[in-house]
Amino acid sequence: MTNFFYLEGAYLILGGIILLITLFVTTRPFMSKGAVKRGLFWVSSIVAIFIGIHYKITTDRIAEVREAFENGKTIICESRMQRKVAQSIYIQKSNGWRLEDYNFVSPNYSRPFFIARCIVK
């Protein structure tokens, strides 16, 4: 739960925007009397379910990547430094990589790689 706002922050903002749009639409004169309550209830429920599912999938993938890294398997991470060449980087414990909190760190790279943006090869 420590990284919930970090992992889901963008989706929480998008969910808030969707709720504002729902509020705007349901308060129009052509909508029925109870549309505001029903609309906000159903839209917020759906948004909360989707954010919860995404969080669960992401935390499960983090646990899978962490376990695979500790067992010496190869991890593939997205490299945002070079978009045209070598868009992914292969991380292995045997190549000097280490896991510091939620980041893969190596003395050969100037920036860390966040574990949630990686998958097991």
Side-chain angles (χ1 to χ4, degrees), residues 62-119:
I62 287 173
E64 178 187 357
V65 168
R66 183 182 296 269
E67 182 181 337
F69 179 74
E70 294 300 329
N71 292 333
K73 294 183 180 174
T74 303
I75 308 299
I76 303 172
C77 290
E78 175 187 21
S79 177
R80 294 184 176 182
M81 289 180 86
Q82 301 172 352
R83 285 291 190 182
K84 296 181 181 176
V85 183
Q87 291 183 343
S88 59
I89 189 155
Y90 294 91
I91 295 175
Q92 284 184 315
K93 200 173 197 178
S94 61
N95 290 339
W97 287 92
R98 64 187 185 282
L99 189 58
E100 291 181 359
D101 199 20
Y102 289 97
N103 293 305
F104 288 114
V105 180
S106 172
N108 300 326
Y109 286 88
S110 60
R111 62 182 287 275
F113 293 92
F114 188 57
I115 194 171
R117 309 293 175 243
C118 302
I119 58 171

Side-chain angles (χ1 to χ4, degrees), residues 1-108:
M1 197 67 179
T2 56
N3 283 332
F4 179 76
F5 290 111
Y6 183 73
L7 293 171
E8 304 301 321
Y11 299 111
L12 290 170
I13 291 170
L14 289 173
I17 292 169
I18 290 170
L19 287 174
L20 288 174
I21 292 169
T22 303
L23 182 64
F24 177 77
V25 171
T26 55
T27 56
R28 299 300 92 196
F30 57 84
M31 296 298 287
S32 65
K33 223 171 189 15
V36 175
K37 286 182 183 177
R38 283 192 317 266
L40 288 177
F41 172 75
W42 287 109
V43 171
S44 62
S45 297
I46 290 170
V47 167
I49 288 169
F50 285 159
I51 289 174
I53 290 170
H54 184 266
Y55 180 72
K56 175 75 172 124
I57 290 170
T58 303
T59 53
D60 288 349
R61 188 177 64 244
I62 287 173
E64 178 187 357
V65 168
R66 183 182 296 269
E67 182 181 337
F69 179 74
E70 294 300 329
N71 292 333
K73 294 183 180 174
T74 303
I75 308 299
I76 303 172
C77 290
E78 175 187 21
S79 177
R80 294 184 176 182
M81 289 180 86
Q82 301 172 352
R83 285 291 190 182
K84 296 181 181 176
V85 183
Q87 291 183 343
S88 59
I89 189 155
Y90 294 91
I91 295 175
Q92 284 184 315
K93 200 173 197 178
S94 61
N95 290 339
W97 287 92
R98 64 187 185 282
L99 189 58
E100 291 181 359
D101 199 20
Y102 289 97
N103 293 305
F104 288 114
V105 180
S106 172
N108 300 326

